[in-house]
Amino acid sequence: MTLRFVLMVNKQGQTRLAQYYERQPMDERCALEAEVIRKCLARTETQCSFFEYRGYKVVYRRYASLFFIVGVEGEDENELSILEFIHALVETLDRYFECARICWCPHGGWATCIPLNVCELDIMFNLEKAHFILDEMVMNGCIIETNKNNVLAPIHLLDKAAAS
């Protein structure tokens, strides 16, 4: 499986995280990003979550206010496995950012909600952590780890070292 890029984009089309696994000139990268993002945002919820663009198979999924977009190369790539990777990435980010929020429950006052998906602010204010998590999961375009505990162990060690 050869990933070529991973993008996290908000509903307004602003890129919050971009990771490329092949060298491209900046102008081509910007044009590719703009077109892929435009195509993803224009699609309805009833359309499938993948399409082909410039030789890439683009697979995306929307979680809350973020679109997670992955570009892969090759005809033999399995779109469902890429969707599973996106889901594993979101679950890992959720676990790291501890997305259980406190909110108002109309029946019982303040309560802890079911854990929510990772939000845009988590990515914006902790961009280096998001990149680190992605780097633990993908190396040189190949998915190497999807176990949340194995992915998060090194980052938790770094957090402990920084706290002491």
Side-chain angles (χ1 to χ4, degrees):
M1 189 168 303
T2 310
L3 304 185
R4 293 300 176 203
F5 59 85
V6 176
L7 304 172
M8 292 181 203
V9 179
N10 68 11
K11 290 190 290 187
Q12 290 76 35
Q14 299 167 317
T15 303
R16 295 302 179 200
L17 179 141
Q19 181 71 41
Y20 288 85
Y21 299 102
E22 67 179 357
R23 184 157 168 74
Q24 288 184 346
M26 188 56 83
D27 56 337
E28 286 181 28
R29 188 181 286 191
C30 291
L32 174 74
E33 252 181 64
E35 190 63 25
V36 166
I37 291 168
R38 188 186 63 75
K39 286 185 175 283
C40 288
L41 293 176
R43 295 173 71 87
T44 65
E45 289 185 19
T46 58
Q47 292 178 300
C48 68
S49 296
F50 46 88
F51 59 90
E52 291 194 19
Y53 177 73
R54 284 196 201 174
Y56 295 111
K57 198 175 283 186
V58 178
V59 182
Y60 70 95
R61 184 129 186 222
R62 179 179 169 194
Y63 286 91
S65 65
L66 285 174
F67 283 84
F68 290 78
I69 305 169
V70 176
V72 296
E73 193 172 58
E75 291 296 316
D76 58 341
E77 298 298 336
N78 185 340
E79 297 88 358
L80 296 177
S81 66
I82 301 299
L83 284 172
E84 276 299 313
F85 163 71
I86 292 171
H87 188 70
L89 175 61
V90 171
E91 284 184 336
T92 305
L93 291 168
D94 277 346
R95 184 178 290 179
Y96 179 73
F97 293 121
E98 300 171 351
C99 287
R101 312 269 196 257
I102 303 297
C103 66
W104 178 257
C105 177
H107 303 292
W110 290 98
T112 302
C113 294
I114 297 171
L116 301 172
N117 293 318
V118 64
C119 69
E120 185 178 353
L121 291 176
D122 292 331
I123 301 299
M124 287 175 59
F125 292 119
N126 299 287
L127 187 61
E128 71 286 348
K129 303 287 186 180
H131 272 287
F132 190 87
I133 290 169
L134 185 58
D135 288 344
E136 286 294 311
M137 296 179 79
V138 180
M139 180 182 291
N140 212 18
C142 296
I143 299 170
I144 57 169
E145 184 65 71
T146 56
N147 183 301
K148 291 182 273 299
N149 293 328
N150 292 346
V151 170
L152 293 176
I155 198 165
H156 286 311
L157 287 173
L158 286 174
D159 289 345
K160 282 183 186 177
S164 60

